[in-house]
Amino acid sequence: MTTDLPKDAVQTLLSDDLRGAVLADAVAAASEDELHSAFFRACEWDIAADIFHRLTAHLDHITAEKRDAEQRDRAQSGSVLHPASQHIHDVSVAAARTLAHALKGEASEAAVAVEEADRVRSRIARGHGDTPTPPTSLLDARSPSPLETLIALHHQLSGARMRVNALRAEDRRTLHELALEEELRRRAADADDGVALQAIDLYLKDDFFDLVADLSGGVPHPVPGYDGLDQPVTASLSDGRPVVFFPKHLRVVGHADYRPPPLPALGLPEVHHLSDLARRHFPQAAVVVVTNGRFSPTAQRYAQTNDLQFLGREGLERWATWSSPLHTVLGSCEAHTGAETLR
């Protein structure tokens, strides 16, 4: 379908400026085919402009959210409640960093989509496409029109929106769980519930065993080879699976000193021994090693490949002091170094 409308008239029609005047002058003299051609060209421009604007708005929104996430990453914790503030700060920063990194990739892709859409839109505005090349096969018999190319970009926009919405939802979920934990911590502090880490550090071994038994609702299950007054504690996880806790109390000194010493750590030899006991006596249970100290890097690496879960000092604080549910604190040993000191 072709049109004999003057080129400048078509360009004015597509530019959205003075459209009414152009139509008034052209409609009376134009044939039906010419009217159809002009109408379809105008619609094509409207659709192209709308898709371009949607892509641009998407890029603007992502860029703003990425900037907000980067600011959250750099911000200091707003909590002045210690020792909860460090955990709150760490989780918030980790969530912001994850979101900012993901949105950086989305923003780069969106910027490319906007640039490509602008090129195609310009082709439509000029009123012509690329010079067609002879087809090499039946599949190449018709090249996609500029509008079809833009619609493909619009489909990509739909997928990008779904990905960004999923990132937002995960970020909100993390912060929501953090807010719930902070509320638990506040309630425990106000009601004088829970056991402070400083008190746990001063426990005897049998006191630490009793604490883990009380927190888990479990019962002692003595086994040969487990030393001292400590005993494994058998219980059930929230989903009903059996679990065995190996409490290991470490002697922590200097928590009141101005310059505290490094935290003691459970190393690979101790953890390997507990893993061997668990395989022999509790083959069907999840295995959790609980300590008031930390775990060495070699012990953490061993746990990753041998189906062990660690509950280190940070997780113990959330469990024993803040009354956070066990399933939210399992694995809270973090990546400690030998230089870590007591908070």
Side-chain angles (χ1 to χ4, degrees):
M1 183 179 297
T2 60
T3 178
D4 294 324
L5 287 174
K7 182 71 172 181
D8 59 345
V10 173
Q11 294 296 88
T12 304
L13 180 65
L14 295 180
S15 71
D16 290 332
D17 296 329
L18 304 176
R19 179 176 294 183
V22 172
L23 289 175
D25 294 339
V27 166
S31 67
E32 184 175 354
D33 284 351
E34 289 172 338
L35 290 175
H36 284 166
S37 176
F39 173 76
F40 288 130
R41 292 276 299 282
C43 289
E44 188 178 40
W45 169 258
D46 287 341
I47 295 171
D50 179 67
I51 292 175
F52 174 77
H53 292 150
R54 288 171 186 260
L55 288 165
T56 303
H58 176 67
L59 174 59
D60 291 342
H61 292 159
I62 292 177
T63 303
E65 290 200 40
K66 180 174 71 71
R67 184 167 56 249
D68 291 343
E70 289 170 344
Q71 291 174 349
R72 276 173 47 203
D73 182 5
R74 295 189 295 267
Q76 295 298 315
S77 171
S79 174
V80 295
L81 303 172
H82 294 280
S85 59
Q86 187 62 41
H87 170 69
I88 292 168
H89 176 263
D90 291 346
V91 173
S92 179
V93 164
R97 191 166 297 161
T98 298
L99 180 62
H101 178 74
L103 290 180
K104 182 179 180 181
E106 291 291 341
S108 298
E109 183 175 327
V112 172
V114 167
E115 191 273 332
E116 291 176 349
D118 188 43
R119 291 205 308 264
V120 178
R121 185 182 64 153
S122 298
R123 286 170 51 195
I124 294 175
R126 291 195 302 269
H128 61 83
D130 296 330
T131 303
T133 56
T136 57
S137 68
L138 292 177
L139 294 178
D140 297 329
R142 187 183 70 83
S143 298
S145 68
L147 185 57
E148 287 174 318
T149 303
L150 278 176
I151 291 174
L153 286 169
H154 188 267
H155 289 325
Q156 289 191 343
L157 171 62
S158 299
R161 283 174 171 168
M162 291 180 63
R163 293 193 301 272
V164 170
N165 287 338
L167 291 170
R168 291 176 183 142
E170 179 62 21
D171 184 62
R172 287 194 297 267
R173 183 194 64 77
T174 300
L175 297 182
H176 176 68
E177 290 183 355
L178 184 62
L180 291 178
E181 285 203 322
E182 171 63 357
E183 180 61 22
L184 287 171
R185 196 219 65 83
R186 287 175 181 270
R187 290 181 183 180
D190 293 341
D192 201 23
D193 292 336
V195 183
L197 281 176
Q198 289 85 348
I200 295 175
D201 291 339
L202 299 175
Y203 272 14
L204 299 175
K205 288 186 176 182
D206 54 342
D207 294 328
F208 191 59
F209 153 74
D210 290 337
L211 174 66
V212 173
D214 290 342
L215 290 171
S216 64
V219 296
H221 195 124
V223 296
Y226 197 45
D227 60 326
L229 297 174
D230 293 338
Q231 302 177 65
V233 175
T234 55
S236 297
L237 297 174
S238 57
D239 59 4
R241 287 183 299 152
V243 59
V244 56
F245 295 91
F246 284 97
K248 295 297 293 183
H249 188 270
L250 299 179
R251 183 173 179 269
V252 175
V253 296
H255 58 267
D257 294 349
Y258 180 69
R259 302 185 69 177
L263 284 173
L266 284 179
L268 177 57
E270 296 89 347
V271 169
H272 181 273
H273 174 62
L274 299 179
S275 175
D276 181 66
L277 289 176
R279 281 195 300 268
R280 284 191 277 121
H281 298 283
F282 309 97
Q284 303 302 319
V287 181
V288 180
V289 182
V290 187
T291 184
N292 59 316
R294 63 183 181 89
F295 297 90
S296 72
T298 53
Q300 293 182 51
R301 181 67 66 184
Y302 178 81
Q304 292 174 0
T305 57
N306 286 271
D307 202 22
L308 296 178
Q309 297 192 72
F310 286 162
L311 196 58
R313 189 173 184 84
E314 179 182 301
L316 178 62
E317 178 182 58
R318 293 162 61 192
W319 194 27
T321 308
W322 310 352
S323 303
S324 296
L326 176 63
H327 71 273
T328 68
V329 300
L330 279 178
S332 297
C333 64
E334 310 310 326
H336 298 296
T337 67
E340 183 187 354
T341 58
L342 209 60
R343 291 199 303 270

